[in-house]
Amino acid sequence: MRIGVLGLGNLGSSIGRLIANNGHDVLAWEYNQQVVDEVNQTHCNSRFLSGIRLPANLTATADINQLAGLDTLVITMPSPFIAKTLASFAEPIADGTSLINLSKGISAEGKTIYQTLLQLAPNNPIALMSGPTIANEIAQDKLTAIVAASASDALLDRIEQLFSSAYFSVRRDDDPVAVELGGILKNIYALAMGIVVSHDAYGQNFNGAFIYLALKEMSALIEALGGKPQVTYGLSGLGDLLTTALSDDSHNRHMGTLLASGMSVEQIKQQLAVLPEGYNSLHQALKLATNHGCSLPLAELIKQRLEQVIDNDGLMKGISQLLKTQ
């Protein structure tokens, strides 16, 4: 089976390697020609996955139309570019092509990627995968578990075939709304964790209290949007939140540490090229919460810190106050 991967960043390279090592030929599209050439000539991606050798059956192309006709496309690129990239195919994606999304985000219109894909490809089998999946660890064959959600049992069967290995486990769920939102919302709170870890009042005691507040808000919004709140306490909620909030490899946590050091959002964007998903997700989640009558006081505090309405001390004091009342 030949599998297409959209995006050869950190996650795409790691996932492409995993699928290729499971015996499937992988053709990955990447807009950066230098990355494409390096992958094809040296089987390495030093820009996004340094120190990891990629299998020979993972090849790359800068021509997205070479992925046309493949029966499965795995999406790993930053969420703002997904709709535009799918629209760049010369011919519409065939109805039988399965789309598997691992990216996380909410559009300016308030739609998740899963909702966007349902709109763009209504006749295609669609699934999403979410969970504690630091890309570097996947590439190093560290033990990892993820949850896949879809309305198609056949596609979930295929996902298990493509991804499962001795060190990569796939669980199934029938609630794409809750699974996807868990993976999206946790980025907001992981970003905040990066801000507070340098504060004098931060310690290990704080971690449990903060995770409690974050999970409470995530569960409330998931339920307001029609998902099962108990899914919040699975891999795509609690599991992903713990990993992303506490890992130094987390892009969202890293943005928080840069904010805490005194950098502005614009300076961080210039340094990172693309802001981590948690920044945009914060603003969109608050809009969704308002529209659905849901209160997210911790997310509101994080927004105030990003907008420099409050400083690091103000954020920590606000969290302390929430712990007395929530």
Side-chain angles (χ1 to χ4, degrees):
M1 187 183 298
R2 199 178 193 201
I3 307 301
V5 173
L6 294 176
L8 266 180
N10 190 231
L11 179 61
S13 298
S14 299
I15 290 297
R17 175 186 177 275
L18 171 69
I19 296 172
N21 280 339
N22 281 344
H24 307 284
D25 292 335
V26 175
L27 178 61
W29 171 81
E30 168 60 40
Y31 80 95
N32 187 317
Q33 186 66 54
Q34 290 181 328
V35 171
V36 170
D37 291 341
E38 183 182 23
V39 169
N40 289 334
Q41 294 167 14
T42 70
H43 305 299
C44 294
N45 185 349
S46 58
R47 178 169 182 177
F48 294 112
L49 198 63
S50 179
I52 300 294
R53 186 163 182 82
L54 302 174
N57 58 330
L58 190 166
T59 56
T61 180
D63 178 6
I64 197 168
N65 289 297
Q66 289 192 24
L67 275 65
L70 300 183
D71 65 1
T72 303
L73 297 179
V74 179
I75 301 168
T76 63
M77 67 182 62
S79 64
F81 307 119
I82 292 175
K84 182 178 179 181
T85 299
L86 292 177
S88 66
F89 280 91
E91 299 291 336
I93 297 174
D95 287 350
T97 299
S98 297
L99 304 177
I100 303 170
N101 176 59
L102 283 90
S103 300
K104 301 175 176 72
I106 305 174
S107 71
E109 296 75 33
K111 294 184 180 297
T112 67
I113 299 171
Y114 187 75
Q115 292 171 327
T116 300
L117 292 176
L118 288 174
Q119 186 176 25
L120 292 173
N123 299 317
N124 295 76
I126 298 172
L128 62 94
M129 299 177 71
S130 183
T133 47
I134 299 294
N136 289 341
E137 293 199 1
I138 297 173
Q140 296 165 9
D141 295 327
K142 304 293 187 183
L143 187 62
T144 299
I146 196 169
V147 59
S150 175
S152 169
D153 286 335
L155 182 50
L156 291 175
D157 289 341
R158 178 177 299 180
I159 288 172
E160 289 184 323
Q161 176 191 7
L162 293 175
F163 290 83
S164 296
S165 75
Y167 302 104
F168 195 95
S169 299
V170 178
R171 295 180 61 86
R172 300 162 71 123
D173 199 284
D174 61 358
D175 189 349
V177 172
V179 171
E180 183 173 34
L181 284 171
I184 291 170
L185 298 175
K186 63 89 173 70
N187 286 329
I188 298 169
Y189 304 101
L191 192 160
M193 185 68 87
I195 297 173
V196 302
V197 291
S198 61
H199 196 279
D200 288 343
Y202 171 82
Q204 294 304 312
N205 289 343
F206 176 86
N207 290 338
F210 182 84
I211 295 297
Y212 156 73
L213 289 177
L215 284 172
K216 185 176 180 181
E217 291 196 357
M218 290 166 60
S219 178
L221 186 56
I222 285 171
E223 185 172 20
L225 294 175
K228 294 182 292 190
Q230 61 266 32
V231 175
T232 312
Y233 302 94
L235 285 172
S236 69
L238 174 60
D240 205 356
L241 175 61
L242 284 172
T243 297
T244 309
L246 303 180
S247 171
D248 289 333
D249 286 330
S250 163
H251 300 301
N252 290 282
R253 176 176 163 129
H254 179 56
M255 179 178 177
T257 61
L258 294 177
L259 284 164
S261 72
M263 292 180 66
S264 67
V265 171
E266 187 57 38
Q267 288 172 326
I268 294 171
K269 185 176 181 180
Q270 290 176 2
Q271 177 172 318
L272 301 181
V274 177
L275 288 175
E277 299 284 9
Y279 176 76
N280 178 64
S281 295
L282 169 64
H283 296 84
Q284 297 306 323
L286 287 171
K287 289 180 183 178
L288 288 172
T290 298
N291 293 339
H292 290 80
C294 184
S295 175
L296 305 180
L298 178 55
E300 289 282 2
L301 276 174
I302 299 167
K303 180 173 180 284
Q304 291 178 27
R305 174 60 187 85
L306 264 62
E307 294 177 347
Q308 299 183 323
V309 175
I310 59 176
D311 58 12
N312 296 346
D313 284 338
L315 176 59
M316 205 60 148
K317 290 175 181 176
I319 293 172
S320 177
Q321 186 61 37
L322 286 179
L323 287 167
K324 296 174 183 177
T325 59
Q326 294 295 307

